[in-house]
Amino acid sequence: MSVKVLAFAGSLRTGSYNRLALKAAIELKPADMQIETFDIAPIPLYNEDVRGKGFPPAVEEFRNKIRQAHALLIATPEYNYSMPGVLKNAIDWASRPPDQPFNDKPAAIMGASGSLLGTARAQYDLRRSCVFLNMHLINKPEVMIAQAHNKFDASGRLMDETTRKLIAELLVNLAAWTRRLSGEK
Ligand SMILES: Cc1cc2nc3c(=O)[nH]c(=O)nc-3n(C[C@H](O)[C@H](O)[C@H](O)COP(=O)(O)O)c2cc1C
């Protein structure tokens, strides 16, 4: 089977390194994988009163795309040692019952940030939320793009060879993991 991946980044800005990392993933994916990106920008702030009246259209669309995907790829920045509020907010919205769509979903995470630790702390927080939502995350390789401002060229292409290899390996592992969980060898 061709593995259908839904990818989203926890940054809204146009020049986001995490969005660029997803662009690199599309370039580096194995032939038997399709990657569709979803922009979380239209998702409103979570409000239980609003949910009581039904999911807003952007959330409904996000939930449907998650359901339809075989696997997920999440790229997170690090804000104050954790994942950004916009990413947590999008996950919080999509996770609400009924039929929370993250359940049983294979997933891979990565992240780009300015510091030397390259989103390590944000990724561990994101991983924790994914565990609660019963997603099945790839453990290795860990793709932590440190000092992201030095890893992309002026056109936004990921130039760092080590990082390119790690992303390619992550995606190969995600394809194999997704097949394994679906019962396909
Ligand atoms: C509110 C805020 C908090 C931040 N905190 C961290 C941090 O804790 N660790 C870190 O490595 N970078 C931190 N940064 C810098 C981000 O890593 C950097 O802006 C990065 O480019 C954001 O990802 P993006 O390029 O995908 O938007 C912070 C940036 C903002 C705006």
Side-chain angles (χ1 to χ4, degrees):
M1 82 183 187
S2 179
V3 177
K4 282 198 301 179
V5 175
L6 183 73
F8 52 97
S11 174
L12 310 186
R13 74 186 188 94
T14 316
S16 157
Y17 294 120
N18 286 278
R19 286 178 184 243
L20 293 176
L22 291 185
K23 232 172 118 184
I26 291 168
E27 196 192 322
L28 296 165
K29 71 180 176 52
D32 58 353
M33 177 180 274
Q34 303 161 49
I35 301 181
E36 181 189 356
T37 53
F38 185 85
D39 185 0
I40 63 170
I43 295 180
L45 285 177
Y46 186 80
N47 183 331
E48 185 73 21
D49 296 339
V50 174
R51 183 178 84 93
K53 296 179 196 131
F55 289 106
V59 177
E60 196 67 68
E61 191 190 353
F62 188 37
R63 283 164 59 87
N64 285 336
K65 297 242 179 213
I66 293 166
R67 261 188 218 108
Q68 286 156 13
H70 296 131
L72 304 176
L73 173 64
I74 310 174
T76 184
E78 182 167 283
Y79 280 7
N80 298 316
Y81 283 15
S82 189
M83 74 183 105
V86 289
L87 177 59
K88 182 67 163 47
N89 180 67
I91 292 172
D92 289 345
W93 258 120
S95 71
R96 301 306 288 148
D99 305 324
Q100 79 88 350
F102 294 114
N103 186 44
D104 220 19
K105 202 62 85 177
I109 62 176
M110 59 182 184
S113 82
S115 79
L116 283 170
L117 288 183
T119 70
R121 296 156 293 218
Q123 287 197 37
Y124 292 132
D125 276 0
L126 173 58
R127 206 167 265 277
R128 194 155 48 130
S129 292
C130 293
V131 166
F132 177 69
L133 295 170
N134 198 34
M135 292 158 76
H136 306 302
L137 261 69
I138 298 281
N139 292 328
K140 288 196 175 167
E142 291 181 307
V143 181
M144 295 170 176
I145 310 173
Q147 298 195 302
H149 47 281
N150 295 329
K151 305 277 163 71
F152 296 85
D153 70 11
S155 74
R157 185 169 186 273
L158 178 63
M159 296 303 287
D160 186 71
E161 273 311 315
T162 306
T163 311
R164 291 176 72 83
K165 281 194 188 122
L166 284 173
I167 292 177
E169 188 187 334
L170 181 74
L171 297 176
V172 165
N173 291 358
L174 181 61
W177 181 230
T178 303
R179 289 212 179 81
R180 190 167 151 193
L181 290 177
S182 74
E184 209 185 296
K185 287 287 168 197

